[in-house]
Amino acid sequence: MKSLISIAGAAALILAFLTLPSCATDGETDAGVPFKGLLTITSSGITYIDCKDNTRYRILDGQHKVGDAMGERVITLNEPVYIEMDGSLSEFDSNLEFEQQFSQMINVTEVTHIDDELPSSCDHHIKPILSFVNPIERMTIEFNYFVPAVILQKPLYGWLMYFPLPDEKFQKIHQGESLEVISSSHGEEIELRIEEMICATDEESDLWSHHLEIVFRGEAYPACGGSKVEDGDIAEGILLSAYSQ
């Protein structure tokens, strides 16, 4: 699935994240033990998930330790790498609802190991990023576990909003279950209904495994996404172009 951020802007965005000033409050403390887990550069900043206790952190790389450790590797948004690092902890404070899933920030002081190969101990955190699209409304909805949020984008109206989605909800989506969820952020509320049903944007388009209905600002919008279906019948599913007739 394509990122919501253009490839041309990704490099500048990554550089900005690696040198981002701290949003943390006073009260920095030593970590005491090395951190071992998944580091991911996302559309909203650098995240770290401890694979042992499953805690999420924001990352501050003011000393460029992470950037230097990345070396010549190609950095891809939303693709985690395994990292072992030292750092100090401080509180992380943000007014954005989805950011409140991070209670602390790690100020990285040393990176001792970084690897594109992910250990089996982190397998439970490897979940696909599911994207849904409604080309009629020029709308995309991305379920991104590493941000972690549902990202609603409609450039025509200037929408780019992040709505928090708890880990257990990501797990249900990953397993293909039907799901209903309400999330609030940016002073807005979004209602999502996902069901496993063959879905297509028009009769000539690809078939997708899931249909999504999103209710936002009093309007309901359909979308298709999930994974591609090789053999299916749209007559038994959803055809989005029918919504526009």
Side-chain angles (χ1 to χ4, degrees):
M1 296 293 182
K2 292 184 179 179
S3 169
L4 296 178
I5 299 176
S6 66
I7 296 175
L13 181 67
I14 290 168
L15 179 61
F17 289 155
L18 294 178
T19 58
L20 187 69
S22 175
C23 296
T25 60
D26 293 335
E28 189 173 280
T29 61
D30 292 334
V33 294
F35 296 94
K36 299 180 180 181
L38 299 180
L39 181 140
T40 312
I41 297 175
T42 76
S43 60
S44 65
I46 309 177
T47 73
Y48 168 79
I49 304 175
D50 190 304
C51 291
K52 184 176 181 180
D53 64 16
N54 302 328
T55 305
R56 293 180 182 272
Y57 300 87
R58 273 296 189 208
I59 291 292
L60 175 64
D61 190 32
Q63 300 181 48
H64 306 285
K65 298 296 184 179
V66 175
D68 292 343
M70 287 290 185
E72 298 298 321
R73 63 168 38 84
V74 176
I75 300 174
T76 304
L77 291 178
N78 303 319
E79 289 191 7
V81 297
Y82 176 72
I83 192 168
E84 296 180 7
M85 60 186 176
D86 299 322
S88 57
L89 287 176
S90 58
E91 293 181 7
F92 181 77
D93 187 21
S94 174
N95 293 326
L96 295 177
E97 285 85 345
F98 86 95
E99 289 276 12
Q100 292 169 11
Q101 298 179 80
F102 305 93
S103 61
Q104 292 182 300
M105 173 180 284
I106 301 172
N107 185 356
V108 181
T109 57
E110 193 64 44
V111 175
T112 57
H113 181 70
I114 194 165
D115 202 327
D116 296 315
E117 294 293 326
L118 308 181
S120 59
S121 60
C122 296
D123 284 350
H124 56 295
H125 288 299
I126 308 304
K127 300 176 186 178
I129 295 172
L130 300 183
S131 293
F132 292 80
V133 62
N134 180 328
I136 301 166
E137 298 288 345
R138 300 182 185 180
M139 176 187 294
T140 59
I141 303 96
E142 179 181 281
F143 293 80
N144 191 319
Y145 174 74
F146 298 104
V147 170
V150 180
I151 305 171
L152 169 63
Q153 185 180 43
K154 190 174 182 182
L156 184 64
Y157 291 162
W159 297 354
L160 178 57
M161 301 181 183
Y162 295 75
F163 293 87
L165 191 63
D167 286 359
E168 61 268 20
K169 299 297 183 181
F170 278 106
Q171 188 64 33
K172 289 182 180 180
I173 295 170
H174 177 42
Q175 293 174 347
E177 296 183 10
S178 298
L179 177 68
E180 292 189 18
V181 63
I182 297 175
S183 183
S184 298
S185 190
H186 308 275
E188 304 274 6
E189 185 176 270
I190 190 171
E191 183 176 351
L192 303 161
R193 303 188 190 100
I194 302 172
E195 56 184 331
E196 193 168 11
M197 178 180 290
I198 293 174
C199 188
T201 57
D202 59 59
E203 293 180 352
E204 304 298 325
S205 69
D206 294 327
L207 300 179
W208 297 93
S209 61
H210 283 70
H211 169 250
L212 166 70
E213 183 178 78
I214 172 176
V215 179
F216 182 64
R217 294 180 177 173
E219 296 289 336
Y221 304 93
C224 295
S227 57
K228 283 189 178 182
V229 176
E230 297 299 330
D231 185 19
D233 186 358
I234 192 58
E236 299 178 358
I238 297 289
L239 184 64
L240 290 197
S241 59
Y243 281 82
S244 63
Q245 295 175 358

